[in-house]
Amino acid sequence: MTEGLKVIDARNSFCPGPLMELIKEIRQEQVGAVMEVWSSDAGSAKDIPEWIRRAGHELLASVAEDGIFKIRVKKLR
Amino acid sequence: MPNIVILGGGVGGTIVANQVARQMRNELKNGDLSITVITESAQHVYQPMFLYMAFDQVVPADAKKPERELLDRRINLVVGAAERIDAAGNAVWMADGTRIAYDYLVIATGSRPDPEQVPGLTDGGYHFYTEEAALRLRQALHDFQGGRIVVTVGVPHKCPVAPLEFVLMVDDWAKARGIREKTEVVYTYPIGRVHSIATVAEWVEPILDGRGIETHIFFNPETVDPQAQTITSLEGETLRYDLLVAVPPHTGQAVIGRSGLGDSGGWLATDRASLRLQGSDNVFVLGDATNLPISKAGSTAHFEADVVASNLVNLLRGGLGSVRYDGKVFCFIETGLKKATFITFDYANPPTPVEATEMIHLYKLAYNRLYWLTPAGLL
């Protein structure tokens, strides 16, 4: 695991869901922070990168491992 | 003699206290067990009533009762502010300098609305997450004669169905007052659909559309300009409003930060199954105070409290305290002033809303009166 990487374990979260968990965390982290959200919802692989783009952050990676979608993001603003 | 200390007199903390007291009544009676609830307010508040208060359907007295009346008489009640939790020293320090030692601690401190996180929101908008705020909104709605009502949603927030309930209720309310034709209702939501739960979003989208409610997704409130009466999102969209109603962002309680236990938002790292504070064997966390990726809602606290109480009783009787929380949540969803539906889900099973009916709405109104049986540990 990358040093300093904050993992947001939102597997099996139907409500508020992985993207809302990411928004919560990203709002309370410092600019430059890197975090990775874990989701068991295939929709996250599309929704989360789209929000990252709209919100002006940087998508670092988006992978699927054993049915878990892991999306890594850097807070830019 | 073991001491159980419960920090927080909301629904979760009160259920735990009463359930343990009922199951261990002989130990309490014989002085072999002590249970203490610490709460800042002598009044227990049923927060879902704030939504109805804003529409002048209930008044503040309907939403509160003395915590003392709800607790088993053998439970100690301390009304006061906790300064910090000394997890290493197994004690809670009160603001007046009192030290309250525990063998087991339950942190049920909840969350608090923090509209100040969005500059301009406190001056430019309304919400219904405290009694005072609900009464301000009640007056604003009473005075409202038509215009553009914008509903905005901060993250994280308590009761994830509340934004939908408010927007559907305000639509019915405007119709009933005969001002719907000169009222625009605008619903905004932080993510890429109109609710966090996909099935709820699919169910409610045609309802919103059919009622002429304008929707804006990917809208996270960033700033409010009270003079210009505009709200701008993090994503760069600006909307004009005449009446702005927010579901404000929430934070954990300050005592969590003072204790050095939470993350930067004041949320406690909690094991999603055992509900123990991570790294601790004798501290449980429930309700809004956790960092779990589940709804901050009274029913969540309720079902978690059942698990925590079972584990405490088990541990005190020599067990391992291995009852697990399965992520259960249950929420009514008001779909206007006369109908409602509900959802229930857990970590393994997603929710599916059923058709809204008058009967479910009436049951919800009845539950609002029956609620007091819940903290008593009876319902």
Side-chain angles (χ1 to χ4, degrees), chain B residues 35-242:
Chain B
I35 304 174
T36 300
V37 172
I38 302 170
T39 182
E40 281 197 350
S41 167
Q43 296 291 317
H44 182 105
V45 178
Y46 177 47
Q47 298 174 38
M49 291 292 241
F50 295 149
L51 174 64
Y52 300 89
M53 211 178 282
F55 289 102
D56 203 21
Q57 294 181 1
V58 300
V59 295
D62 295 324
K64 51 192 173 187
K65 283 187 188 295
E67 176 71 5
R68 183 67 270 174
E69 288 182 13
L70 298 172
L71 288 173
D72 185 291
R73 63 185 170 79
R74 290 161 292 203
I75 296 168
N76 306 311
L77 175 64
V78 175
V79 178
E83 178 59 27
R84 68 184 177 91
I85 299 159
D86 175 8
N90 291 333
V92 176
W93 287 91
M94 302 296 290
D96 66 5
T98 309
R99 179 179 183 272
I100 301 175
Y102 62 80
D103 295 287
Y104 293 102
L105 175 68
V106 179
I107 303 177
T109 43
S111 61
R112 64 181 176 86
D114 190 13
E116 300 289 336
Q117 283 187 30
V118 181
L121 180 55
T122 299
D123 291 335
Y126 295 85
H127 70 86
F128 51 90
Y129 276 76
T130 65
E131 177 184 313
E132 182 189 10
L135 295 178
R136 281 187 66 232
L137 176 56
R138 180 181 74 175
Q139 188 63 49
L141 286 170
H142 181 77
D143 297 340
F144 187 78
Q145 297 300 321
R148 187 169 161 88
I149 300 175
V150 173
V151 176
T152 191
V153 181
V155 177
H157 58 266
K158 187 157 43 184
C159 188
V161 298
L164 278 179
E165 290 185 301
F166 181 83
V167 81
L168 295 171
M169 288 171 76
V170 86
D171 169 62
D172 265 7
W173 168 89
K175 284 178 191 152
R177 292 191 70 191
I179 58 170
R180 183 63 180 96
E181 287 182 3
K182 52 181 181 175
T183 300
E184 290 176 81
V185 181
V186 182
Y187 174 81
T188 70
Y189 203 66
I191 65 170
R193 55 183 179 237
V194 294
H195 193 262
S196 58
I197 301 170
T199 52
V200 172
E202 288 162 13
W203 161 78
V204 81
E205 265 180 14
I207 295 174
L208 294 169
D209 191 45
R211 296 200 196 179
I213 295 168
E214 182 181 323
T215 59
H216 296 255
I217 56 172
F218 285 125
F219 192 101
N220 284 278
E222 182 83 333
T223 58
V224 173
D225 184 335
Q227 278 71 47
Q229 294 193 297
T230 58
I231 177 167
T232 299
S233 72
L234 172 71
E235 294 81 3
E237 190 175 5
T238 297
L239 299 174
R240 186 191 63 76
Y241 67 83
D242 294 304

